[in-house]
Amino acid sequence: MIDFLLNGQPRHCEASPETSVLELLRESLGQTGTKEGCASGDCGACTVAIGETGPDGRVRYHSANACITPAHQLHGRQLVTVEGLADGERLHPAQAAMVECHGSQCGFCTPGIVMSLFTLHEEQRPGDDKVPAPLTPQRLEAALGGNLCRCTGYRPIRDAALTMGEHPERRPPWLDAAAPTPAAPQTDARFAQPTTLAELVELRRRHPDARLVAGATDLWLETTQRLERFERLIDVTRVAELDTIEETTLDDGRPGWWIGAAVTYSRLEPLLDEHYEAFAHLLHRLGSAQVRNRGTLGGNVANASPIGDTPPVLLALGSRLWLAGPEGERELPLDDFFLDYKRTALGEGEAIRAIFLPRPEAGRTLKVWKLSKRREDDISAVLGAFSWRLEDGILRDVRLAFGGMAAIPKRAAAAEAALEGQAPSTAAFQAARLALARDFQPMSDVRGSAHYRRLSAANLLERLRLALLRDHRVQPSSHTDREVMLHAYAH
């Protein structure tokens, strides 16, 4: 059973494990304001707001795609839909601004857009512990990047977002009410929601074939697109040990952070903004705010997709995994985790507890470049992540990792060897590009042909060479390099 608040009203519902929030709303609860567009988390028509009570007792809301959010994850939460925003006949500022700016076109996508504006408005409200950040074009784009308007009415929607603050603060008082704490976590024959690592390990021991779910941003496509049923699900989002970010130092002396497997991208963003700008930028290419609010780093790694965005970056950084299972806990270099397509080194009953993100070293640089058909909220055709040190003009500890080039996220060992200990010259990078043919034999699919992928990977190495010329002020080794460097500085 699922106990939660829907627009301030208690709900007690029963649902199968594969039921989404959208399905629960429209088919069981008669709340049809939330629309189904793509059923894959791309268009934002189904956007809702989910509220969680923090340690300070304050309810904080995040936007989510209802079509790929498991209904059972509402347990003990506050769910807000477009039907609940108005306070009686008085519209919420997000609604009032959309009306005044003529932001609603056909109306199908409008409820989701309004809900994204609502969560943005909540972020803009001052509180005891925060001063709202200015509503910059970048923040506005990030908030609305996951909502498509099929009528192309973006200008009035943008105007509505910018003028929300000019409307009277009218919000139902129940928005600040915490959902009642459930008497017990959910557990039935097909669904379990452990709250401790020990409980998770025991469930994995008893049910090694059960599917684990966190953000569900990929897993849920199996039910929405392929109409699969889940025989048993274990939800890891309430496991306390998986929801932490802990600063640490490994036995080899490397400082960094253990990122819990259930930590969402949104929670990880501030850390990456401070320490890894290129990685932080990738998260915005990876998915919309709705996706980043739900998706997890652990899920992206465990999914073992050859086109997952974060594994190549973690490989380039030399990350490690902390695994937990019935036989105990162990650490494993990420280099040893991916074995074959969708096959990993996880033992029976094991789960990822945390991912080690090393603290940036002095003198080490990270570059990440993603190629996809759409600039944002799209799957990679090819992704390259490159890390190195430049000492006295010589490349050291070179790590080149790619996604989309093999059955697994993989380092380019031959290309690394061609660059290691070399000056970043035209000849060295020419050798590295040729070495890619020994590292990868990519396949052709809907996102790109094998030829396109080989050419793109080689061109990303050329881009890396140009970045070295520009960023490290490397002395060009030829007349051609001088022309290229002058062109790079000019642009």
Side-chain angles (χ1 to χ4, degrees):
M1 299 302 291
I2 313 169
D3 291 301
F4 66 103
L5 294 182
L6 172 60
N7 297 325
Q9 298 300 311
R11 297 288 183 171
H12 185 69
C13 303
E14 187 171 355
S16 63
E18 60 271 5
T19 302
S20 69
V21 170
L22 179 65
E23 186 179 358
L24 184 71
L25 283 171
R26 294 183 62 85
E27 297 186 10
S28 299
L29 299 174
Q31 303 291 297
T32 56
T34 306
K35 302 297 191 287
E36 178 176 277
C38 62
S40 59
D42 288 329
C43 75
C46 67
T47 301
V48 295
I50 299 176
E52 300 182 36
T53 306
D56 59 358
R58 180 175 177 177
V59 182
R60 290 175 173 81
Y61 291 94
H62 67 262
S63 57
N65 292 307
C67 68
I68 55 171
T69 298
H72 283 270
Q73 291 187 346
L74 295 176
H75 196 56
R77 302 289 191 245
Q78 169 82 273
L79 176 65
V80 182
T81 68
V82 69
E83 292 95 336
L85 288 188
D87 184 11
E89 296 184 358
R90 299 181 302 174
L91 297 179
H92 185 276
Q95 296 169 309
M98 285 285 284
V99 171
E100 185 173 287
C101 296
H102 306 285
S104 178
Q105 304 293 309
C106 74
F108 190 87
C109 306
T110 304
I113 293 168
V114 168
M115 293 311 301
S116 287
L117 291 180
F118 161 75
T119 55
L120 178 62
H121 187 268
E122 287 292 298
E123 291 175 8
Q124 291 295 110
R125 295 181 66 238
D128 297 335
D129 59 343
K130 70 169 186 175
V131 176
L135 184 54
T136 62
Q138 291 77 15
R139 285 194 67 220
L140 179 56
E141 181 180 335
L144 290 173
N147 292 90
L148 299 181
C149 173
R150 293 163 175 82
C151 301
T152 67
Y154 292 116
R155 180 56 185 267
I157 294 168
R158 181 180 182 275
D159 292 342
L162 293 172
T163 58
M164 281 192 300
E166 300 173 9
H167 291 267
E169 179 69 16
R170 292 169 176 168
R171 57 197 301 276
W174 52 259
L175 283 173
D176 296 317
T181 303
Q186 300 180 87
T187 301
D188 59 33
R190 296 179 58 201
F191 184 89
Q193 197 173 57
T195 58
T196 68
L197 184 62
E199 292 174 4
L200 171 61
V201 168
E202 175 59 18
L203 283 165
R204 291 287 283 154
R205 186 192 65 78
R206 287 163 40 203
H207 308 288
D209 295 330
R211 304 293 296 274
L212 299 185
V213 61
T217 55
D218 186 80
L219 176 66
W220 227 249
L221 301 188
E222 294 185 21
T223 180
T224 63
Q225 306 296 306
R226 300 205 293 266
L227 306 180
E228 299 279 357
R229 291 182 77 251
F230 300 125
E231 292 305 317
R232 180 177 289 276
L233 280 179
I234 301 174
D235 178 9
V236 303
T237 58
R238 308 295 173 96
V239 177
E241 294 91 333
L242 271 57
D243 195 33
T244 61
I245 299 177
E246 298 179 2
E247 193 162 3
T248 188
T249 300
L250 296 182
D251 291 341
D252 61 10
R254 285 193 299 163
W257 303 268
W258 281 115
I259 310 299
V263 170
T264 64
Y265 297 126
S266 293
R267 278 193 59 204
L268 185 56
E269 277 186 78
L271 182 68
L272 296 183
D273 282 336
E274 181 177 356
H275 297 286
Y276 285 111
E277 182 180 357
F279 201 170
H281 178 70
L282 175 66
L283 293 190
H284 286 261
R285 295 287 309 277
L286 177 151
S288 64
Q290 291 95 319
V291 169
R292 298 195 302 276
N293 288 337
R294 305 295 299 171
T296 65
L297 188 63
N300 203 228
V301 173
N303 191 33
S305 169
I307 48 176
D309 282 349
T310 64
V313 185
L314 296 170
L315 285 169
L317 293 175
S319 293
R320 297 180 66 84
L321 299 180
W322 184 358
L323 309 179
E327 303 303 317
E329 300 183 1
R330 62 186 177 116
E331 287 186 31
L332 183 73
L334 188 61
D335 286 335
D336 299 334
F337 183 69
F338 303 108
L339 303 179
D340 202 346
Y341 179 72
K342 291 285 189 174
R343 191 164 69 87
T344 71
L346 281 174
E348 185 170 305
E350 276 192 320
I352 298 175
R353 174 171 178 168
I355 302 95
F356 178 73
L357 178 70
R359 181 179 284 276
E361 300 175 44
R364 174 169 285 279
T365 304
L366 173 70
K367 295 288 185 183
V368 183
W369 293 308
K370 171 178 175 171
L371 304 181
S372 55
K373 290 185 176 181
R374 260 193 334 245
R375 176 160 180 81
E376 295 180 343
D377 201 13
D378 199 8
I379 295 171
S380 295
V382 176
L383 187 145
F386 314 124
S387 178
W388 71 92
R389 290 182 291 110
L390 194 65
E391 295 180 353
D392 299 323
I394 300 299
L395 291 164
R396 303 290 186 192
D397 195 16
V398 178
R399 299 177 71 94
L400 313 174
F402 286 89
M405 293 292 290
I408 59 175
K410 183 182 173 186
R411 287 173 60 188
E416 289 177 354
L419 293 177
E420 186 67 37
Q422 302 293 317
S425 63
T426 302
F429 273 86
Q430 171 87 13
R433 291 195 296 273
L434 291 174
L436 286 176
R438 301 197 299 275
D439 287 315
F440 301 111
Q441 293 78 46
M443 63 177 287
S444 297
D445 61 19
V446 295
R447 295 182 185 89
S449 66
H451 172 72
Y452 170 80
R453 287 186 157 107
R454 284 192 294 267
L455 181 62
S456 297
N459 286 344
L460 288 179
L461 285 187
E462 177 64 7
R463 183 175 182 179
L464 175 60
R465 186 180 72 86
L466 297 180
L468 279 160
L469 284 174
R470 182 192 63 216
D471 298 344
H472 291 282
R473 310 282 175 164
V474 173
Q475 187 67 29
S477 58
S478 68
H479 177 70
T480 301
D481 277 352
R482 291 189 191 95
E483 291 181 347
V484 168
M485 187 172 69
L486 288 173
H487 179 79
Y489 278 122
H491 293 79

